[in-house]
Amino acid sequence: LGVGALVAAVVPPPAPPAPPPATGAAWQPDRQSVQVQDQVLATLMKVLALVPTAPSRALPLVVGRLPHKSRDTDAHCLALRAAFAVALSPAGATIRDELLAAVVDKLLELDVDIAWQHISERPEEEADEEHDQQAQIEAEVEDMFALEGVTDLELNGNHHSGRQHRGGWEGPAAPALVPAAERTVADEQAAKLDAMMELTLSHLEARVQGGTAAA
């Protein structure tokens, strides 16, 4: 019961989400949250060191307390910070690989949740410029056919623009840009994943330097 209460206190309860960091930016934790977590972790480490069976009992508790994907960046990164602190401690040596595997599973869960079509891979200005270039090319092609006496009706068998009925690579029409709201959600998820990956890579680097990396 004591270990479970300590593990539950490692991450603060749900609250209004904090603004996510910019994509690729390092996570900057709240100072008060870190101070509280450090105090909880110090007590948890003592329990894990004093009770031989505590680490094996703590493992499913720590894994089970990893935040749901809907929680904000602070909750996820604080949870990873705590899990990695336990993994690097002498008392957590027997469960450090299992903790890392659980974190990787969480990263994969977030990664697959980010639909690729919701990520704005190109600025809107670039997409608009490409659309204008495509329209200019189509206009030049239509002018060429007009000069040769080939009408749109003869090309398509109807009075609609040939561009509306094209398929294949060109598609039926120019692709619509992703709504701003959907891009915002996807960008926030991507920023969260980036911050978590940075923590994971830092943990792996610390393990390599400390000689505790998995074989």
Side-chain angles (χ1 to χ4, degrees):
L1 180 60
V3 173
L6 290 171
V7 170
V10 162
V11 177
T23 303
W27 171 61
Q28 298 294 333
D30 176 70
R31 181 178 301 179
Q32 183 177 2
S33 297
V34 170
Q35 291 175 348
V36 173
Q37 187 182 74
D38 285 343
Q39 294 175 3
V40 176
L41 285 174
T43 305
L44 178 60
M45 300 299 186
K46 292 179 181 179
V47 175
L48 296 180
L50 291 174
V51 182
T53 59
S56 59
R57 294 182 179 180
L59 175 61
L61 297 175
V62 174
V63 173
R65 296 293 299 188
L66 291 176
H68 186 268
K69 60 186 179 182
S70 62
R71 295 288 302 274
D72 62 10
T73 301
D74 280 350
H76 280 84
C77 289
L78 284 171
L80 263 60
R81 182 178 184 270
F84 291 150
V86 172
L88 291 176
S89 69
T94 58
I95 61 173
R96 61 171 55 113
D97 290 339
E98 288 83 353
L99 285 174
L100 178 59
V103 169
V104 171
D105 287 341
K106 176 61 68 172
L107 294 176
L108 291 175
E109 177 187 353
L110 288 173
D111 186 40
V112 300
D113 193 54
I114 302 175
W116 68 267
Q117 67 268 26
H118 289 170
I119 299 178
S120 178
E121 296 179 348
R122 300 177 301 172
E124 291 188 13
E125 293 80 1
E126 181 180 346
D128 291 339
E129 181 180 355
E130 182 174 335
H131 180 267
D132 293 341
Q133 292 175 351
Q134 180 66 23
Q136 181 178 358
I137 292 173
E138 292 175 352
E140 292 175 354
V141 171
E142 292 176 358
D143 290 342
M144 179 182 66
F145 283 129
L147 289 174
E148 295 179 357
V150 181
T151 65
D152 184 67
L153 178 62
E154 293 171 334
L155 284 173
N156 300 286
N158 55 47
H159 294 279
H160 297 288
S161 170
R163 178 173 173 269
Q164 293 177 344
H165 294 272
R166 290 192 179 112
W169 288 105
E170 294 181 359
L177 294 176
V178 179
E182 293 185 13
R183 286 202 309 274
T184 300
V185 172
D187 290 344
E188 289 179 358
Q189 289 288 85
K192 180 195 303 182
L193 183 61
D194 284 348
M196 295 171 67
M197 290 180 66
E198 286 291 334
L199 288 177
T200 304
L201 292 174
S202 297
H203 170 71
L204 291 173
E205 183 178 356
R207 288 185 58 172
V208 170
Q209 294 177 353
T212 60

